[in-house]
């Protein structure tokens, strides 16, 4: 995989805690997740989290958003408990620092909706999607792709929940 070589070279040239290396790790983890290589993506995200923690601290926005991305890999690997812990922690950090109605909070709320849908916790998923949708409409408008993505997730939730009339 191309990203693996990029990560290796960035670490070799810059060191493990350089922002470029950390970003390359995140890109590699995201690529692995997209390829459904969830077990392989998790340690890559964990390395990126350690890098963010060392360089920016574990209260930074970048740390929180990296944690939310790692939660997606945990969710897709079936480790719902870790995914839930990571998303709750990321949301708390973002909400305290940037507010509950920030764009970053909407990203995490949307991810929580995805997790709860997978767990058939439909009411919780709906609540998270709806909160995310309100924020995205406020910042982006009703027809923006980010807003539509959350609206799509909410529609899929209603279908999974056997409420297709709401979709």
């Amino acid at each position: 995989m191309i990203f693996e070589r990029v990560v290796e070279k960035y670490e070799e040239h810059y060191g493990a805690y350089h922002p470029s290396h950390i970003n390359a790790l995140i890109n590699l983890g995201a690529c692995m997740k997209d390829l459904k290589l969830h077990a392989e993506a998790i340690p890559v995200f964990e390395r990126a989290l350690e890098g963010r923690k060392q360089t920016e601290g574990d209260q930074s926005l970048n740390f929180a958003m990296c944690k939310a991305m790692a939660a997606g890999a945990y969710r897709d690997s079936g480790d719902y408990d870790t995914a839930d812990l990571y998303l709750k922690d990321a949301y708390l950090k973002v909400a305290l620092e940037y507010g509950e109605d920030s764009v970053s909070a909407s990203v995490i709320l949307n991810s929580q909706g995805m997790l709860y849908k997978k767990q058939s916790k439909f009411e919780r998923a709906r609540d998270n999607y709806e909160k995310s949708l309100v924020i995205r409409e406020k910042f982006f408008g009703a027809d923006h792709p980010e807003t539509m993505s959350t609206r799509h997730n909410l529609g899929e939730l209603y279908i999974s929940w056997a409420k297709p009339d709401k979709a």
Side-chain angles (χ1 to χ4, degrees), residues 7-33:
V7 167
E8 177 185 309
K9 288 300 171 184
Y10 272 111
E11 184 172 16
E12 185 179 295
H13 186 76
Y14 293 117
Y17 298 124
H18 190 276
S20 295
H21 177 250
I22 297 166
N23 289 337
L25 284 167
I26 292 168
N27 289 337
L28 174 59
C31 183
M32 289 174 154
K33 185 179 167 299

Side-chain angles (χ1 to χ4, degrees), residues 77-107:
S77 73
D79 186 348
Y80 299 145
D81 291 339
T82 302
D84 194 37
L85 288 172
Y86 274 38
L87 287 169
K88 285 177 179 174
D89 184 59
Y91 181 79
L92 183 61
K93 290 175 189 329
V94 168
L96 287 173
E97 186 66 27
Y98 300 96
E100 291 182 48
D101 66 342
S102 67
V103 172
S104 298
S106 80
V107 170

Side-chain angles (χ1 to χ4, degrees), residues 42-160:
I42 289 169
V44 173
F45 280 123
E46 291 296 340
R47 285 177 57 201
L49 276 169
E50 181 59 29
R52 288 283 191 233
K53 183 177 181 179
Q54 293 298 321
T55 59
E56 300 179 38
D58 62 2
Q59 299 302 310
S60 74
L61 176 63
N62 285 333
F63 181 85
M65 298 313 290
C66 185
K67 199 161 197 180
M69 291 180 74
Y74 281 108
R75 177 195 65 226
D76 292 344
S77 73
D79 186 348
Y80 299 145
D81 291 339
T82 302
D84 194 37
L85 288 172
Y86 274 38
L87 287 169
K88 285 177 179 174
D89 184 59
Y91 181 79
L92 183 61
K93 290 175 189 329
V94 168
L96 287 173
E97 186 66 27
Y98 300 96
E100 291 182 48
D101 66 342
S102 67
V103 172
S104 298
S106 80
V107 170
I108 297 168
L109 287 164
N110 191 63
S111 293
Q112 285 177 315
M114 294 168 71
L115 171 64
Y116 297 142
K117 178 185 173 227
K118 272 194 168 256
Q119 295 175 294
S120 298
K121 296 177 180 178
F122 298 125
E123 290 175 1
R124 290 177 76 181
R126 179 201 58 214
D127 292 348
N128 280 275
Y129 284 142
E130 287 178 349
K131 287 177 190 173
S132 178
L133 193 56
V134 167
I135 296 166
R136 289 177 179 205
E137 285 177 346
K138 174 183 166 186
F139 281 96
F140 301 127
D143 294 329
H144 189 277
E146 292 297 321
T147 307
M148 297 305 288
S149 173
T150 300
R151 190 170 285 119
H152 173 86
N153 289 345
L154 183 58
E156 284 189 339
L157 169 69
Y158 283 126
I159 291 168
S160 297

